Amino acid sequence: MSSPENAMPDGGTEDKGLSSKLQSMKFMKRSAEQAKLEAENKLERKIISDSHWRATYSSSDVPEERLKTRVVYESSYLKMPQTDSSSVNRGIGRRSFRSFNKKTDQVNEEVEKTIRAEQMSEEEKRTEEEDRKMAEALAKTKASRARAVPTSLREQNQQHKRRRPSGKK
Amino acid sequence: MTDIKVVIPGDAVDTHMEVDGQEQQVLRLGPGLSHIGDTINAVNAGVLHSSSDGSQYWVVSNKRRYVAAEGEPVVGVVVARHAEGYRVDIGSAHDALLPLLAFEGATKRNKPNLAVGTTVYARVSVANSLMDPEIECFNSNTGKAEGFGELGEGFMFKCSLGLARRLFSSKAPVLNALGSKLPFEVAVGLNGRVWINTEKPETTVLVANAIKNSEFLDAKQCRQMVNELLDKH
């Protein structure tokens, strides 16, 4: 007579509380299978992300073309570039005529000085950059002509050492 | 001979923006233009201007109602004093806030004391459609007053925004014509308000009338008008 243990060689090792005979019964197997299915579905659901959803367009219009121009609003006339008819930018709001208010005259002079200084420094920077670029360009042409001569101090030092007799330190 | 393009609200503006390459091009719209849907439309009536490289467009219009914009100098009148600052009427839809520390050399212990009704010359520091505008009475970069602050005794009158912009430039013909003959001081606010101070009341009336008359006159007519007023004076 075959005992139920022979039919199930496991002998109920996983669940210590329940015997293998109980586990082999249909109602126990049903819940175990349901749990397995749920776990598999969860894994599947996680893989579907935002990239899964894509909009399809019926027309051949690709909306990316609209993003080519970006519009920026500027609400002040002061920030618009100067044209001949409206020179709003070069303005000093508070002015005094025939030295009615000396303090205002002083303030306006100082403001003009700083503006002129800024303009000068900008021009200087520009000329400096141009000079530097010219110097670099000239240096490149010179270097390409004379490449055999060692230029770095280290190389010169090594050459010098080679020339000296080996005995000396 | 360049064409002058006059636009009215609702006109579509062609900005000649070519779609080239992968770079996103930036189109700067100044006052008077708005990007509605796919097109750029004019919102104000006036003359359309553009920069030489075609990246900036704006409409020069003449109105009397001021909308605060950042960086513009304005003339205001103190209406109330709060703990954090003053409420100043600059002609915009909402009164502006002038913080107590927004003055030259202002510290917690050394704060200015302005009475209600004082005229001030200030610069708009914060202006957008969501908040009340804020103004400051000094140049926040340098920390110096540079002409801003309390305007003492004098006379303030209102004018159109276009005239205020023309008066603001250093070449304004009416101011230069008056200034060559009369001693006076002027502070122009881009909110359509002008403050003047002269020695005598008659001179104040003369200067105010001259400035108001110069709205539609060109440079030569301005000088003529000023000379006539001074002769009758």
Side-chain angles (χ1 to χ4, degrees):
Chain A
M1 250 194 279
S2 56
S3 59
E5 270 197 13
N6 285 346
M8 302 283 316
D10 247 8
T13 44
E14 286 186 6
D15 238 332
K16 283 192 182 166
L18 303 166
S19 67
S20 55
K21 186 178 181 184
L22 259 178
Q23 281 186 6
S24 65
M25 293 196 188
K26 222 182 185 178
F27 68 91
M28 293 297 288
K29 279 191 181 173
R30 246 187 285 149
S31 55
E33 276 186 37
Q34 270 184 17
K36 265 195 216 168
L37 274 171
E38 273 249 50
E40 281 184 33
N41 281 345
K42 260 195 186 174
L43 281 173
E44 273 190 46
R45 262 182 252 153
K46 276 187 190 167
I47 296 171
I48 297 175
S49 61
D50 277 337
S51 60
H52 174 83
W53 306 107
R54 250 188 302 132
T56 54
Y57 296 94
S58 53
S59 60
S60 54
D61 256 341
V62 182
E64 289 169 15
E65 275 189 32
R66 270 190 230 162
L67 300 171
K68 289 289 181 178
T69 57
R70 186 165 61 94
V71 172
V72 172
Y73 288 106
E74 190 58 71
S75 49
S76 170
Y77 283 103
L78 289 181
K79 306 234 171 93
M80 299 293 114
Q82 291 179 38
T83 54
D84 289 326
S85 51
S86 54
S87 59
V88 196
N89 296 352
R90 259 179 305 111
I92 301 175
R94 191 165 176 183
R95 303 161 68 184
S96 104
F97 296 92
R98 294 179 79 99
S99 43
F100 184 79
N101 188 342
K102 292 191 182 150
K103 196 175 170 203
T104 306
D105 290 334
Q106 271 179 6
V107 166
N108 286 353
E109 265 189 48
E110 284 177 22
V111 169
E112 270 189 46
K113 265 191 205 173
T114 49
I115 290 176
R116 254 182 278 151
E118 275 179 29
Q119 284 182 353
M120 292 272 290
S121 67
E122 268 190 39
E123 278 193 36
E124 276 184 25
K125 274 188 199 172
R126 256 183 275 150
T127 49
E128 265 189 39
E129 270 216 36
E130 285 172 16
D131 288 346
R132 198 163 42 84
K133 282 183 185 170
M134 261 185 59
E136 279 177 17
L138 284 173
K140 273 185 191 171
T141 50
K142 274 195 177 175
S144 62
R145 278 185 226 151
R147 221 171 272 166
V149 178
T151 45
S152 69
L153 267 175
R154 190 174 188 174
E155 290 180 52
Q156 287 181 13
N157 210 2
Q158 284 176 0
Q159 276 213 344
H160 196 68
K161 278 187 184 168
R162 269 184 244 133
R163 284 196 203 126
R164 275 185 172 227
S166 49
K168 272 196 176 179
K169 248 199 180 173
Chain B
M1 183 66 177
T2 50
D3 292 337
I4 297 177
K5 186 154 167 59
V6 174
V7 291
I8 56 174
D11 281 357
V13 171
D14 184 16
T15 54
H16 311 286
M17 291 296 284
E18 307 119 20
V19 180
D20 58 50
Q22 297 294 315
E23 280 181 21
Q24 204 178 59
Q25 295 181 323
V26 177
L27 177 64
R28 294 182 191 277
L29 297 184
L33 292 172
S34 178
H35 185 228
I36 300 171
D38 277 340
T39 56
I40 295 175
N41 294 335
V43 179
N44 292 342
V47 178
L48 180 71
H49 281 92
S50 61
S51 64
S52 44
D53 61 351
S55 65
Q56 282 198 348
Y57 286 84
W58 68 100
V59 176
V60 175
S61 58
N62 196 5
K63 292 170 168 268
R64 299 191 78 94
R65 193 165 289 274
Y66 178 61
V67 174
E70 190 189 320
E72 296 190 339
V74 292
V75 170
V77 176
V78 175
V79 171
R81 178 179 181 152
H82 299 314
E84 332 79 49
Y86 298 97
R87 282 260 150 225
V88 179
D89 167 35
I90 56 173
S92 56
H94 300 282
D95 292 339
L97 175 71
L98 171 57
L100 283 172
L101 295 175
F103 292 84
E104 180 183 3
T107 58
K108 273 189 195 171
R109 298 201 182 166
N110 177 20
K111 286 186 218 173
N113 192 7
L114 298 178
V116 170
T118 322
T119 317
V120 290
Y121 193 53
R123 194 186 145 269
V124 178
S125 59
V126 175
N128 53 45
S129 56
L130 309 165
M131 303 166 28
D132 286 357
E134 284 185 28
I135 58 178
E136 60 189 12
C137 274
F138 72 142
N139 184 343
S140 44
N141 296 332
T142 64
K144 302 210 170 163
E146 288 186 8
F148 296 120
E150 180 185 348
L151 295 168
E153 56 183 14
F155 174 64
M156 184 191 82
F157 61 93
K158 297 186 189 174
C159 65
S160 72
L161 302 187
L163 176 60
R165 268 176 256 133
R166 269 174 279 139
L167 292 171
F168 187 69
S169 91
S170 50
K171 291 186 198 165
V174 65
L175 291 181
N176 290 336
L178 285 166
S180 61
K181 308 277 175 58
L182 297 169
F184 72 102
E185 190 184 2
V186 65
V188 178
L190 291 181
N191 54 339
R193 296 180 179 186
V194 180
W195 173 89
I196 53 179
N197 187 14
T198 59
E199 297 164 342
K200 295 180 286 186
E202 300 100 58
T203 331
T204 307
V205 171
L206 192 152
V207 171
N209 282 338
I211 293 176
K212 283 189 210 170
N213 289 344
S214 72
E215 170 111 40
F216 300 110
L217 303 178
D218 64 9
K220 191 176 162 192
Q221 288 167 336
C222 269
R223 285 190 286 268
Q224 265 183 334
M225 182 259 304
V226 167
N227 288 334
E228 281 175 23
L229 280 176
L230 288 170
D231 288 337
K232 285 187 207 169
H233 175 63

